Amino acid sequence: MESQNIKPREPQDENIIENKELNIWEALIPVIALVGMLFYNVYFVYGDDALSGSNQFILLLGGAVAAIVGFYNKVSYKQMLDEVAENIKSTSGAIVILLLVGALAGTWLISGIIPSMIYYGLQILSPSIFLAACVIICAIISIATGSSWTTSATVGIALIGIGETLGISLGMTAGAVLSGAYFGDKMSPLSDTTNLAPAMAGGELFSHIKYMTITTVPTITVTLIIFIIIGLNIDTMGTPDISDKLEAINGAFNISPWLFLVPAAVIFLIIKKTPPLVALLVGTLLGAVAAIIAQPNIIMAVAEAETLTFQSAYKGVMQAITVDTAVETSSAELNDLFTAGGMSGMLNTIWLIICAMVFGGVMDAIGALSRISKSVLNLFDSVFGLFLSTVISCLGLNALASDQYLAIVVPGRMYKKAFEDKGLAPENLSRTLEDSGTVTSVLIPWNTCGAYQSGVLGVPVMDYFAYAIFNWLSPFTTLLFAAFRIKIKQLTSK
């Protein structure tokens, strides 16, 4: 029997639903309701704890409001449910990746990989250059891998630990990590969004990447300058004495540079275009093997066993993979650092993604996303207005649809002809989609990217928002270049 050629649904195959019965005010009702409920929930009741469950339910309520609007406009329950199912299906890969990231963090903790990174990193990275170094390191790895998610889940986690030990704000470190990671993700030919944007705009990949440098290089340069200035002015009470921290780490773990073979193997697999799920699973299993070989005492402590046997090794590794794990050191400051939630630690983030997909799915099913995008486009007639409407649509869809791909696909399809009618080359549209859709997704707490990065790095979006300089500066840069007509490429006859 021959196997069937079954292809997964790709972002560019996303069906954009239009509903002529729906007017703009009806399309905005769920948006206004959602924003109002989230504002009250976050700012008056739960604060930082809002992502522990209440915001998830608010997203479901927002979806219910959208469904009521849909019923009023004769959209069937089945159509809404089908679109929600497709939305959730599209995030299945991200959900499994999140679970494996939690598992990997657990085995990399008990194996001493993350502690070793912190141990050696503390001796190399001083506070004055640390933030700028984070940007550069993450940018290089993200360009090589094409994935901001993988970058933050591996190197990003270690840099967060080093920054915390150096006394640098978690928000600052996370902002620097994400600035570098999304620069690399945006510019890498291996990135899915970098391929998706020109596909939606009707352009060519390497022409798109070359054209992006016009706005991206100045933005990352400004980002690095700001982080250098911040680093030079960080109040760390002089050069910190970290000898006690180094002793504490060395006393709790068997530190060795040989442990770096595990993350090196994972990075090698990703560079070789191994699927991220496979690379993360291999990294988790290699971490487990390294833990048994290098940290037998920690394995026994986690398993609550007196001797290292096959059963106790199995139990210790499985505990680290699945549930909360903590390794105590002689330094109280480090004890919070050497904890991992395993797969269970990712469940809040997964819960958030699923609820966000419910809201986005209903909004798409009733035609609200299409109606809002078209209405924004109709507000502007000038060339600058066209760029502005694209930016607004990308930002809005990142917030409303909670999905990075939809923030590229919907405006890309909607505005392609408008750019052509203005005599503008497709590179203008594809660059704007990346400048305002790809990089800003991480700034929305309930967007899949914001939820993922916040969960992986252990830093709330509101804490790193201001320091994710590259991410929020990019839309302003693209609008600045559009306003002054700098390098606005025109269509040429073939």
Side-chain angles (χ1 to χ4, degrees):
M1 180 178 178
E2 294 182 358
S3 61
Q4 298 181 30
N5 183 21
I6 301 174
K7 294 182 179 180
R9 181 173 175 176
E10 300 292 337
Q12 59 265 33
D13 299 328
E14 188 73 43
N15 181 35
I16 301 171
I17 299 173
E18 297 188 28
N19 184 356
K20 295 180 180 179
E21 302 292 327
L22 189 76
N23 64 51
I24 183 60
W25 300 112
E26 291 172 331
L28 287 173
I29 288 174
V31 177
I32 296 169
L34 178 67
V35 171
M37 289 186 290
L38 286 173
F39 181 82
Y40 176 79
N41 192 59
V42 173
Y43 289 96
F44 292 102
V45 183
Y46 284 100
D48 290 342
D49 289 334
L51 290 178
S52 296
S54 57
N55 271 1
Q56 285 89 327
F57 186 67
I58 294 296
L59 284 164
L60 293 181
L61 288 179
V65 173
I68 292 171
V69 173
F71 289 136
Y72 180 77
N73 285 276
K74 301 176 183 178
V75 179
S76 70
Y77 174 76
K78 183 179 184 303
Q79 181 174 328
M80 288 186 274
L81 200 61
D82 286 347
E83 196 60 30
V84 167
E86 286 295 340
N87 260 20
I88 294 176
K89 180 182 176 182
S90 71
T91 65
S92 57
I95 289 172
V96 179
I97 286 175
L98 276 169
L99 291 173
L100 284 177
V101 166
L104 180 140
T107 60
W108 283 23
L109 169 64
I110 63 169
S111 65
I113 294 171
I114 291 176
S116 291
M117 288 180 176
I118 294 172
Y119 182 84
Y120 292 112
L122 285 174
Q123 300 174 68
I124 298 172
L125 297 174
S126 68
S128 60
I129 66 166
F130 176 73
L131 294 173
C134 284
V135 176
I136 296 170
I137 291 169
C138 291
I140 292 171
I141 292 175
S142 194
I143 288 174
T145 62
S147 172
S148 57
W149 284 31
T150 303
T151 300
S152 58
T154 52
V155 177
I157 292 174
L159 290 172
I160 286 287
I162 295 170
E164 186 175 10
T165 309
L166 289 172
I168 296 174
S169 160
L170 289 179
M172 286 185 185
T173 306
V177 166
L178 294 174
S179 291
Y182 275 83
F183 166 82
D185 191 321
K186 181 183 173 187
M187 298 301 293
S188 174
L190 302 178
S191 168
D192 49 5
T193 56
T194 306
N195 284 272
L196 180 61
M200 291 297 98
E204 191 270 332
L205 174 62
F206 288 101
S207 177
H208 163 64
I209 293 174
K210 181 180 178 181
Y211 197 64
M212 276 200 299
T213 60
I214 296 169
T215 55
T216 304
V217 171
T219 306
I220 196 66
T221 301
V222 172
T223 300
L224 280 169
I225 291 171
I226 293 174
F227 276 122
I228 290 171
I229 293 171
I230 293 174
L232 292 173
N233 289 276
I234 288 178
D235 183 12
T236 57
M237 300 175 65
T239 303
D241 180 9
I242 58 172
S243 59
D244 60 329
K245 295 181 176 62
L246 295 176
E247 289 176 8
I249 296 172
N250 211 16
F253 299 91
N254 292 321
I255 301 299
S256 170
W258 290 106
L259 292 168
F260 294 154
L261 289 174
V262 175
V266 174
I267 293 172
F268 174 79
L269 287 173
I270 295 170
I271 291 174
K272 287 296 183 179
K273 300 183 180 180
T274 304
L277 287 174
V278 176
L280 289 171
L281 178 60
V282 170
T284 300
L285 296 176
L286 289 177
V289 173
I292 295 170
I293 295 172
Q295 317 292 341
N297 291 335
I298 292 176
I299 290 286
M300 289 187 288
V302 172
E304 298 179 345
E306 295 181 358
T307 57
L308 185 65
T309 63
F310 176 82
Q311 184 175 351
S312 62
Y314 174 83
K315 183 179 179 182
V317 168
M318 288 300 289
Q319 287 284 108
I321 287 174
T322 56
V323 295
D324 292 345
T325 304
V327 179
E328 290 191 7
T329 71
S330 59
S331 171
E333 294 173 277
L334 293 176
N335 287 340
D336 288 338
L337 185 59
F338 294 136
T339 60
M343 290 194 294
S344 66
M346 294 296 169
L347 293 181
N348 263 357
T349 302
I350 292 170
W351 185 13
L352 179 67
I353 289 173
I354 292 172
C355 293
M357 289 299 98
V358 171
F359 175 75
V362 178
M363 286 289 286
D364 193 17
I366 69 174
L369 299 183
S370 172
R371 176 63 64 190
I372 293 170
S373 294
K374 283 190 173 182
S375 298
V376 172
L377 177 59
N378 292 335
L379 290 175
F380 307 100
D381 186 51
S382 65
V383 170
F384 175 75
L386 183 57
F387 279 90
L388 179 59
S389 64
T390 306
V391 170
I392 292 173
S393 295
C394 290
L395 295 175
L397 283 163
N398 261 328
L400 301 180
S402 307
D403 183 73
Q404 181 188 53
Y405 295 121
L406 283 176
I408 294 174
V409 171
V410 176
R413 288 191 179 180
M414 295 294 178
Y415 298 158
K416 179 181 177 182
K417 188 176 186 302
F419 273 78
E420 291 175 354
D421 292 343
K422 292 289 184 183
L424 301 174
E427 288 84 354
N428 294 285
L429 175 56
S430 61
R431 183 181 74 183
T432 307
L433 293 174
E434 291 253 60
D435 283 341
S436 51
T438 298
V439 300
T440 61
S441 56
V442 74
L443 303 176
I444 311 296
W446 53 88
N447 187 285
T448 51
C449 293
Y452 173 88
Q453 300 291 5
S454 176
V456 166
L457 298 176
V459 183
V461 173
M462 290 299 103
D463 286 3
Y464 68 64
F465 186 101
Y467 299 106
I469 299 167
F470 176 79
N471 302 73
W472 58 254
L473 187 60
S474 291
F476 291 104
T477 304
T478 205
L479 289 177
L480 181 67
F481 277 61
F484 290 96
R485 304 297 292 267
I486 301 171
K487 298 290 185 180
I488 302 300
K489 188 175 182 179
Q490 303 296 309
L491 273 175
T492 56
S493 57
K494 298 183 179 179

